Amino acid sequence: MKVYLGIDTSCYTTSVALLDEQGNLVADERRILKVKQEECGLQQSEMVYQHVRALPDLLEKALVPYYEIVGIGVSERPRTLADSYMPAFLVGLGTAKTLAQALQVKLHLQSHQENHLLAGLWSAKDFKSDSFIMLHASGGTTDVLLVESKGKNYSLTQIGGSIDLHAGQFIDRVGVALGLQFPAGAALEKLAEDAQAPVTLPVSVKDNTCSLSGPATHALRLLEKGEDKCGMALGVEECLGKTFGKMLVNTAKSKDVQDVLLVGGVSANNYICEICKNILAKQGIGFHRAEAKYSSDGAVGNAYGALRNA
């Protein structure tokens, strides 16, 4: 079977994926990097170390003797910007280059952000548009981008987003204060299910941008005073859903586009997405998202990029 290999070594996940020539997923292997209890992240050197140890194991699991790799896609940097750089991505990039050279197959390089975009488009198969707004919301990114079709690929132009804290950082800081393990997204969503009502947190949106440091600080102060933990978890979700919705409505109207796509780990949260979707629907703006599994970091988008550029 001929397959396209995707590799991604992001801040907190080592990933390998395989698509066949029809775009069907035949392998999706991931390993979350280990973070010590009560810590809120890893140094780049530790990320590199864990990627180096994990990537060979994941490749061994994904690849079987009857698979023939005919193309490889890999994240070479965080964003499409010229000065975008992060050491963690060098592990995947080096491995992909070596394999492409040894196998004499085409190597497709793209950014981690483009990987998320293509994973979203691959997953949301009913979504077809040549121009739309994308929100990439994760631990290291809360970017609002104008996405435009350019042949086999897309151009991404940042036109808004958070001016301070990223959405994932907001979740993780409050989550760790709640006693949850970093990264806290999935655990916070589960904790919120037991809430009687959300704790009200401020929403700060101006045109195409938002501020999340104020809501985060407010949440931490309330927790110090003994605020209900489940209600706080739900309040964080509600704050982000309203923030995303208002910011995306403003952006879509300013750019005269009709559709929005959400990608990134934070968009795996169903409650956040439901609030955002309802706000957009009231303004006649289409809401689209990747399946939750393909919102978070993975390598499917890189495999899809290799397939599209074959």
Side-chain angles (χ1 to χ4, degrees):
M1 180 190 294
K2 293 182 178 181
V3 295
Y4 292 86
L5 169 66
I7 298 174
D8 187 73
T9 52
S10 64
C11 287
Y12 297 105
T13 310
T14 315
S15 308
V16 171
L18 295 173
L19 296 179
D20 65 17
E21 292 182 290
Q22 289 72 46
N24 300 308
L25 185 66
V26 296
D28 184 8
E29 299 291 340
R30 311 181 195 192
R31 184 174 298 177
I32 305 297
L33 306 191
K34 295 179 180 179
V35 180
K36 293 181 181 179
Q37 185 72 34
E38 297 184 356
E39 291 191 2
C40 291
L42 293 171
Q43 293 183 339
Q44 283 289 319
S45 58
E46 179 62 21
M47 293 178 193
V48 169
Y49 172 72
Q50 292 196 40
H51 283 316
V52 168
R53 290 176 61 87
L55 189 53
D57 291 342
L58 298 185
L59 286 167
E60 185 176 358
K61 288 181 180 180
L63 296 171
V64 296
Y66 58 84
Y67 287 164
E68 177 189 355
I69 298 174
V70 292
I72 301 174
V74 64
S75 302
E76 61 172 338
R77 51 186 172 170
R79 296 178 175 87
T80 55
L81 305 175
D83 60 349
S84 183
Y85 168 77
M86 192 172 286
F89 291 103
L90 297 181
V91 179
L93 179 60
T95 300
K97 284 184 174 180
T98 300
L99 286 172
Q101 179 64 28
L103 298 172
Q104 288 296 291
V105 298
K106 185 176 181 180
L107 177 63
H108 178 64
L109 305 179
Q110 58 187 28
S111 69
H112 178 69
Q113 198 160 63
E114 290 170 309
N115 174 37
H116 271 291
L117 165 64
L118 290 179
L121 293 175
W122 175 85
S123 174
K125 294 179 174 63
D126 60 331
F127 176 44
K128 306 292 182 183
S129 177
D130 290 332
S131 179
F132 56 93
I133 300 298
M134 182 177 83
L135 171 63
H136 179 196
S138 66
T141 307
T142 303
D143 290 350
V144 177
L145 305 110
L146 176 64
V147 181
E148 297 175 292
S149 177
K150 302 292 183 182
K152 294 181 178 180
N153 297 301
Y154 293 86
S155 68
L156 283 70
T157 305
Q158 185 171 351
I159 52 177
S162 177
I163 62 172
D164 41 48
L165 208 61
H166 297 307
Q169 290 176 313
F170 179 17
I171 289 173
D172 289 332
R173 289 185 185 184
V174 177
V176 170
L178 289 168
L180 307 177
Q181 175 69 29
F182 177 96
L188 183 134
E189 185 173 12
K190 185 172 181 58
L191 182 63
E193 293 175 359
D194 295 327
Q196 297 299 313
V199 173
T200 300
L201 297 175
V203 172
S204 179
V205 174
K206 182 179 180 181
D207 299 327
N208 300 352
T209 64
C210 69
S211 172
L212 297 173
S213 62
T217 299
H218 187 70
L220 295 175
R221 286 175 179 169
L222 289 177
L223 286 175
E224 289 176 356
K225 295 178 180 179
E227 185 60 77
D228 175 64
K229 291 186 176 181
C230 296
M232 180 58 72
L234 188 62
V236 169
E237 291 181 325
E238 183 177 72
C239 177
L240 285 172
K242 289 181 177 178
T243 297
F244 292 169
K246 291 182 178 181
M247 182 169 59
L248 290 170
V249 164
N250 293 344
T251 306
K253 287 185 175 181
S254 69
K255 295 299 179 181
D256 193 27
V257 297
Q258 303 300 314
D259 292 288
V260 167
L261 173 69
L262 267 63
V263 301
V266 175
S267 68
N269 184 295
N270 292 317
Y271 189 78
I272 292 174
C273 286
E274 192 63 27
I275 293 175
C276 181
K277 178 181 179 180
N278 290 338
I279 292 172
L280 291 168
K282 290 178 181 178
Q283 301 298 321
I285 300 168
F287 174 91
H288 311 272
R289 61 181 288 208
E291 290 181 37
K293 182 177 181 180
Y294 306 110
S295 296
S296 55
D297 285 355
V300 172
N302 284 330
Y304 190 40
L307 171 61
R308 288 170 59 92
N309 284 271

